[in-house]
Amino acid sequence: MKRILILAMALLLCVGFVACGQIEDANGEEETGLAVITKDELLESNSSSKVGYVRTQINNTLTLKVNQFSGVEAVDSISVSNGTERLTFSVQSTLNSGNLYIYVRHDGRIVGEFTPGQKDSLTLEQPAPGKYELCIAGESASFELSATMQKQ
């Protein structure tokens, strides 16, 4: 009986891992842009599948290390009110494989983007009030990301 229970648990775990819906890299290893995820999904979705995901946040710095990521996810956000003079995002990433898109979403629009594999920053002067989300979209992406958000 004990053996059957252990076997059933192992089978359920295997089925669970198979069900993790990774989106295949459809445009090849040389092309790192998204091939399957649509713009509508970038603006509305918050659904992803992750394998080997480590997230740390120390003070103002978010760090992600992901072995395999597919889907769209807002990884951090910051709220801005009237009178905020400047909003700055700093992102450094390393793309090991797959497709990755890093961007800032606000009020149903993409207001900034970052090039995977580089150190980049975005400053929004007199940003409109509301919630700004730092988002990632990936198709079988393996990557590391470090990001900070500051308002002044």
Side-chain angles (χ1 to χ4, degrees):
M1 183 66 167
K2 200 175 198 181
R3 231 184 239 182
I4 293 173
L5 183 60
I6 291 173
L7 225 104
M9 293 294 286
L11 181 62
L12 284 174
L13 280 173
C14 290
V15 169
F17 285 126
V18 170
C20 291
Q22 290 294 323
I23 301 170
E24 292 301 317
D25 179 0
N27 55 358
E29 290 182 28
E30 299 300 317
E31 177 62 42
T32 61
L34 298 177
V36 178
I37 296 173
T38 66
K39 186 169 183 174
D40 286 342
E41 290 171 317
L42 293 175
L43 298 176
E44 299 170 4
S45 183
N46 251 346
S47 176
S48 63
S49 174
K50 302 173 276 264
V51 176
Y53 179 82
V54 177
R55 175 192 170 110
T56 57
Q57 187 141 8
I58 300 173
N59 296 328
N60 238 10
T61 303
L62 166 72
T63 304
L64 298 176
K65 291 183 181 185
V66 186
N67 287 338
Q68 194 170 35
F69 175 88
S70 287
V72 177
E73 182 176 323
V75 293
D76 208 351
S77 67
I78 190 167
S79 292
V80 172
S81 59
N82 282 325
T84 301
E85 292 182 25
R86 186 175 298 115
L87 181 58
T88 303
F89 297 85
S90 298
V91 173
Q92 182 170 356
S93 64
T94 303
L95 179 60
N96 302 317
S97 64
N99 303 332
L100 182 65
Y101 182 57
I102 308 163
Y103 62 105
V104 176
R105 183 169 66 186
H106 169 70
D107 201 23
R109 297 181 310 126
I110 295 173
V111 296
E113 54 188 31
F114 305 94
T115 305
Q118 294 185 5
K119 185 175 184 176
D120 205 356
S121 66
L122 168 69
T123 300
L124 302 172
E125 300 290 340
Q126 303 294 319
K131 182 177 174 184
Y132 289 80
E133 298 175 304
L134 178 64
C135 301
I136 55 174
E139 298 165 348
S140 296
S142 172
F143 67 94
E144 296 176 20
L145 179 130
S146 177
T148 59
M149 298 184 294
Q150 296 178 329
K151 58 183 172 180
Q152 298 171 336

